[in-house]
Amino acid sequence: MIWLFVQFASTILLAVVSGIAALCASRICLAKTMGKMHSRLRSSFIWIGIGALVLLVKLAATVLLAATAGWIFVEDKAVMQLPMLVIPAAAVLWCSIPAAKAIRSGIRAAAAGAPKEPPSLQDRLTAAAPRWVFPLKLCFIGALLSVIQQFFIAEWPLPIGKVLAIWAVFAAAACLLWRGIRRRHRRLADNGSPKWGILAARLYRRAGVSLVIALVLAVWFMLGAQSSRVPDRLSMAGEEHGHPHGHVHEAAAGSPSASVAELTGPQSGTPNRSFVLEAKKTPVTLPSGEKKEAWTFNGQLPGPELRVKQGDLVEVTLINKDIDAGVTIHWHGIDVPNAEDGVAGLTQDAVMPGQRHVYRFVADQAGTYWYHSHQQSSRQVRMGLYGVIIVEPAEAPEQPAVDLAVMLHEWPTENGTTVTLGSLDRLQRAKAKPGTPVRLRFVNAENLPASLYISGVPFQVAAIDGADLHEPGDLTDARLELAAGGRYDVTFVMPETAVGVALCGGPFEPDESALVISPTDEGLPPEAAADSVFDPASYGTPGEAKFGPDTRYDRHYTLVFDNRLGFYNGKFNFVQTINGRVFPDAPMFMVREGELVKMTFVNRGFEDHPMHLHGHHIQVLSRNGKPVTGSPWIADTLNVAPGEWYEVAFKADNPGIWMDHCHNLDHAAVGMSAHVAYEGYYSPYEIGSGTVNLPE
Ligand code: C2O
Ligand code: CU
C-alpha cells in the first residue's frame, strides 16, 4: 500500500526539511554582509516552500488512506501529529511570511546599493524577529515529535494518555523556544551584534540541554529494557500477563479451575496409525554438494511425510535425541485438543534431550497440514524440524494417481538463504500418465509469502489450509501467493505434455528449484506467464458456511498490526506489534465455549503478517470491506498484507488456551504473539529463563 509508505516517509522528510528551513531562517541575522543576508533569506524561502509541499503530500496521503483504507489506518498519526504540524504551519503563514516581507524590503534597499556592506543593527534585529523565527522552529519541533510518535507509539485503541503527553511536550517545547528566541532578540538589541561570549554561553546551554535529554533517554532505555524482560517464570495465561480483553472475563470472578493439561486426546484405544519422530542433529548434503548441519526428524529433511485416514486415532511419539534446547511438535492446522497442541510453556514442557512425549489425537479433518517444533520455533523450523501431515478423506471419491506434498522452505547457506521447493535445491521430476488426476499439496514453511508459478495446464485450487473449496474453477497462468504457514492443494488432469511448478516465472533450468511432472520423465514445460494473481476471495461459488451476513457474534476483537522501535525481552528491536504491544503485554482474547467470535485484522505496518490461530479454523468474511463472494474461505493462516484489513469469524468450540500469532516466526520471536483463552482454564506450564520453554 503505497500511501502507507508515503505517509510515513513524508513525516521523516518533513522533519529534515523543516529543520533546514529553521536553521536557514535563524542564521539570516548572523550574515556578515547585506548580500549574504539576501541570499540566506532566499534559501529560507526555498526550504519553506519544499516543506509546505511535503506537508501537503503528507496531508493528502493521510486523507487518501482514511478514505480508501479506513480511519483506523491513520488514527494515531492524524490525532497525534496533525495538530503539531498544522498549527505551526499556520503560524508560518500568518506570522513568518509577513515578517519576511519586512526583512526583505529592508535588505533589498541596502543590498542593491552596497551588497558588501555589513548589515546595520536594525537590519539584524528585523531578521531575528521572533515573529519570523519562532513559527519555523516550531514546525521543526512538531515534525520531530511526529517522527518520534511514528517510531515509538503504535497503540490501538488510541492511547489518550500518550496523546496528551506528546502534546504537552510540544507545548512545553514551544514555551521554552519562545522564551529563548525572545531573549536572544533582546541580547542582540543590547549588544549590537552577536558576540563570542554570547555564542559560547549559548553553546554551553545547548550542551546542557543535550545532556539532560541524553540522560532522560538513557533512563528510559534502561527502564524499558528492564520492564520488557520476560520474568524468569511466567504463566502465558496467568493473571499477571496480558490484558484480558472482553467484559465477561471481569464478571466471571474466581480463578480458573481447569488445567489445559487435562484437555488431551483419547488416552485409551489402539491407535490406527502410530509414528515415532526422533529429533536429532543431522549432517545433510544437498544435491548441489553443499553440506550443512540440519536438525531433523528421523534424519529426513523435511521430516517424514505422515499420512493418515480421516477418523484415525493417531499416536506420535516424539523422542529428542540431541537437540539441546528441547523440542515439541505442533500440528499446524489440525484442531487437536489443547494438550496435544505442542506449544512449549503453554500446553506442555519442551522435550529435552533423552526425553520423550506422546501425542494422541483423532484426525477428523481431511486435508493438508504440517507439523513443526514449537520450541524456539523461528530457529528450529529454519533448521529443519518440520514435515507434512496429510489426512486422506475417509472415502476418497477418486484417489489421484499422483498425490505429492511439496514444502517450500528457506535453507541457510554460506551466503544467506535459498528457498527450496521440496527438499531439493534443483529441478526435480515426477511422472504421471496423461488423463490421470494429479494433486499437489503446497505447504509454505517459510516466513514470507511465496509465489508459485504453474505452467502447462489449467488447474484448480481444490483446498486452502486443508479445507475444500466449493466448485473451484479452472485457472490458467494465475500466480499463487501462498501465506507463510499456509497450504494450497492444486489439482489438475495430467495433459500429454509437461507441467511445471516454479518459485518464479521464466524458463525452467536444471539447477533451479522447480518441479516438473511429465508423462515420460522428459521434456520441459512452457515458461509460466502468470499475469494474474489467484484471489481466494472471489474463487469458486458460494456454498454452505458457518457464518453469513446475518450472523450475530458474541464477541468482536480488533487486532491492529503495526511496527515500531521498542523492547522485547530486554532487547531493543524493530518490533511487530498487535495493538501496539508485544508479548507478554500482547492482548489476551477471552472467549467462552460455544461463542461466535468475530475478529478484525488491520495491518497498518509495512510487513506481511500471516496470522495463525491455533486450534480453530477461521472463516474469512471480508477483505478491505468487500465480502468474500466465492466459495466459503476457511483458513488457519491468513496473510494480512500492509494496508489490508480483514474480518474473520470462528466458533469457540475447542476449549483451552491457544496461541494466536504471526507465522512469520521471526516476528513471533520478537513478541508478535497473542492468545485466545477460554474462560475457566489455566496452564500449569511456564516460560521464561527459569524454565526450559521458549515457544517462539
Ligand atoms: Cu505453525 Cu504457532 O504455529
Ligand atoms: Cu508478522
Side-chain angles (χ1 to χ4, degrees), residues 243-594:
H243 298 255
H245 279 226
H247 333 285
V248 192
H249 178 73
E250 271 82 21
S255 54
S257 48
S259 164
V260 300
E262 310 294 317
L263 300 168
T264 61
Q267 289 305 289
S268 58
T270 318
N272 303 85
R273 298 301 313 268
S274 41
F275 304 94
V276 176
L277 292 177
E278 187 187 35
K280 58 182 172 192
K281 294 180 182 150
T282 313
V284 290
T285 313
L286 293 181
S288 59
E290 217 179 311
K291 263 207 169 70
K292 278 281 158 187
E293 178 180 286
W295 297 348
T296 67
F297 288 116
N298 299 1
Q300 284 168 253
L301 186 78
E305 179 175 309
L306 311 183
R307 270 191 191 254
V308 303
K309 274 252 164 354
Q310 191 174 10
D312 279 355
L313 173 60
V314 181
E315 183 182 280
V316 180
T317 305
L318 164 65
I319 300 172
N320 181 1
K321 185 170 171 232
D322 55 6
I323 305 301
D324 305 324
V327 186
T328 66
I329 300 178
H330 166 58
W331 311 98
H332 184 121
I334 303 186
D335 301 333
V336 297
N338 199 208
E340 311 293 345
D341 200 42
V343 179
L346 180 61
T347 65
Q348 68 174 96
D349 282 323
V351 179
M352 301 311 282
Q355 295 180 340
R356 60 176 60 209
H357 183 94
V358 178
Y359 298 93
R360 284 170 71 100
F361 57 87
V362 177
D364 44 18
Q365 315 151 235
T368 306
Y369 306 96
W370 63 301
Y371 61 89
H372 61 81
S373 179
H374 222 303
Q375 164 79 345
Q376 257 190 355
S377 52
S378 61
R379 173 121 200 261
Q380 297 200 353
V381 170
R382 188 168 283 142
M383 288 301 284
L385 288 170
Y386 67 92
V388 68
I389 173 165
I390 293 162
V391 183
E392 291 172 349
E395 309 124 39
E398 174 182 32
Q399 185 55 38
V402 174
D403 182 336
L404 214 58
V406 185
M407 296 200 96
L408 287 84
H409 180 235
E410 199 178 324
W411 180 256
T413 66
E414 277 103 49
N415 21 14
T417 53
T418 65
V419 174
T420 63
L421 189 62
S423 56
L424 310 174
D425 62 352
R426 58 167 54 189
L427 193 109
Q428 38 188 329
R429 285 183 174 275
K431 241 201 264 188
K433 270 207 203 86
T436 57
V438 175
R439 188 175 192 107
L440 302 178
R441 303 166 181 270
F442 295 104
V443 181
N444 187 357
E446 270 195 88
N447 280 334
L448 299 176
S451 300
L452 286 166
Y453 294 80
I454 299 170
S455 69
V457 71
F459 61 93
Q460 304 88 38
V461 176
I464 296 177
D465 290 357
D468 286 341
L469 294 180
H470 191 245
E471 297 185 331
D474 274 352
L475 296 165
T476 28
D477 289 340
R479 189 175 83 227
L480 305 181
E481 285 288 337
L482 182 52
R487 285 90 58 215
Y488 281 159
D489 286 18
V490 164
T491 54
F492 55 86
V493 175
M494 187 61 204
E496 303 280 344
T497 49
V499 173
V501 183
L503 292 170
C504 53
F508 285 82
E509 312 272 3
D511 57 354
E512 185 189 350
S513 179
L515 171 68
V516 172
I517 303 160
S518 49
T520 59
D521 247 358
E522 269 167 17
L524 285 176
E527 196 170 320
D531 339 284
S532 61
V533 178
F534 164 68
D535 180 8
S538 57
Y539 179 68
T541 62
E544 213 187 298
K546 260 196 203 141
F547 306 98
D550 306 323
T551 310
R552 294 187 60 94
Y553 296 93
D554 303 295
R555 311 252 188 177
H556 180 197
Y557 291 117
T558 300
L559 284 72
V560 176
F561 313 131
D562 211 332
N563 32 226
R564 63 171 166 81
L565 293 170
F567 296 95
Y568 172 68
N569 199 12
K571 282 205 200 80
F572 194 67
N573 252 312
F574 188 62
V575 293
Q576 308 291 332
T577 59
I578 300 176
N579 296 351
R581 300 167 179 281
V582 293
F583 184 82
D585 286 329
M588 172 77 75
F589 302 108
M590 301 303 302
V591 298
R592 258 184 194 169
E593 195 170 353

Side-chain angles (χ1 to χ4, degrees), residues 144-227:
L144 207 61
L145 285 171
S146 299
V147 171
I148 290 175
Q149 185 274 315
Q150 214 154 248
F151 277 102
F152 291 97
I153 305 174
E155 261 127 300
W156 186 90
L158 204 60
I160 298 300
K162 288 190 180 172
V163 175
L164 296 178
I166 203 164
W167 286 350
V169 170
F170 178 68
C175 291
L176 286 177
L177 181 68
W178 177 250
R179 265 189 43 194
I181 289 176
R182 285 287 300 275
R183 196 186 298 149
R184 187 173 161 213
H185 193 245
R186 240 178 284 126
R187 287 241 178 89
L188 188 61
D190 297 346
N191 295 295
S193 73
K195 292 221 170 75
W196 271 114
I198 298 173
L199 289 179
R202 199 160 83 210
L203 219 61
Y204 282 133
R205 209 168 45 236
R206 283 197 184 164
V209 170
S210 311
L211 202 69
V212 169
I213 292 179
L215 270 173
V216 168
L217 284 179
V219 169
W220 167 79
F221 197 87
M222 271 150 53
L223 288 180
Q226 193 57 40
S227 69

